[in-house]
């Protein structure tokens, strides 16, 4: 059995030499203490920033999803409604409920129609229906 060197002696048994001078850190007892930097505050601030960024992206995606769901709802409502004409892209149409509470699409302006008014819509070039806010609707919301 080989002689065991004391803990303070830096000896490489594979190369069979003392290698304290070749190490990138101090090996004597009188050398300054090696301390790991305290980067906890940096980590916490980076985690906070990353979470804030991810939350903002999540909120944007959520808003976009909700907007897409509205478009889907409008499209399902209008395509399932009754109409006897071919809607033209860019034109505004009005959705009503008839006496049997069945939706139907019309070109008649809500001011001149006695049916229950559900909303005005425009057919886009993507063949999607977008809701149009009437001036009378926006005025009643602001009052």
């Amino acid at each position: 059995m080989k002689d065991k060197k004391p803990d303070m002696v830096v000896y490489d048994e594979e190369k069979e030499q003392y290698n304290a001078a070749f190490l990138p850190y101090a090996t004597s007892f009188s050398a300054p203490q090696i301390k790991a930097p305290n980067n906890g505050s940096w980590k916490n601030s980076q985690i906070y920033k990353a979470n804030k960024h991810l939350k903002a992206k999540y909120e944007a995606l959520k808003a976009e999803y909700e907007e897409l769901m509205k478009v889907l709802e409008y499209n399902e409502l209008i395509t399932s409604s009754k109409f006897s004409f071919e809607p033209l892209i860019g034109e505004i149409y009005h959705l009503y409920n008839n006496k049997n509470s069945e939706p139907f699409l019309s070109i008649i302006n809500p001011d001149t129609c006695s049916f229950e008014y559900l909303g005005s819509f425009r057919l886009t070039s993507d063949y999607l229906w977008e809701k149009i806010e009437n001036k009378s609707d926006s005025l009643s919301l602001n009052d």
Side-chain angles (χ1 to χ4, degrees), residues 39-55:
N39 57 5
S41 63
W42 180 85
K43 283 182 182 179
N44 289 339
S45 70
Q46 295 306 312
I47 289 170
Y48 173 76
K49 289 175 187 176
N51 287 346
K52 193 171 183 178
H53 175 75
L54 291 172
K55 184 176 181 179

Side-chain angles (χ1 to χ4, degrees), residues 8-20:
M8 66 180 184
V9 176
V10 182
Y11 184 76
D12 187 355
E13 292 185 14
E14 291 178 6
K15 295 181 182 178
E16 297 183 355
Q17 66 180 5
Y18 295 95
N19 65 352

Side-chain angles (χ1 to χ4, degrees), residues 93-104:
Y93 300 95
H94 309 285
L95 191 65
Y96 301 99
N97 268 341
N98 63 16
K99 294 175 185 173
N100 299 329
S101 295
E102 297 170 337
F104 70 94

Side-chain angles (χ1 to χ4, degrees), residues 24-44:
Y25 51 87
T27 59
S28 73
F29 288 121
S30 62
Q33 182 180 8
I34 299 173
K35 293 183 180 179
N38 181 10
N39 57 5
S41 63
W42 180 85
K43 283 182 182 179
N44 289 339

Side-chain angles (χ1 to χ4, degrees), residues 107-118:
I107 60 172
I108 300 173
N109 197 325
D111 298 334
T112 60
C113 188
S114 62
F115 291 105
E116 179 189 356
Y117 174 68
L118 300 177

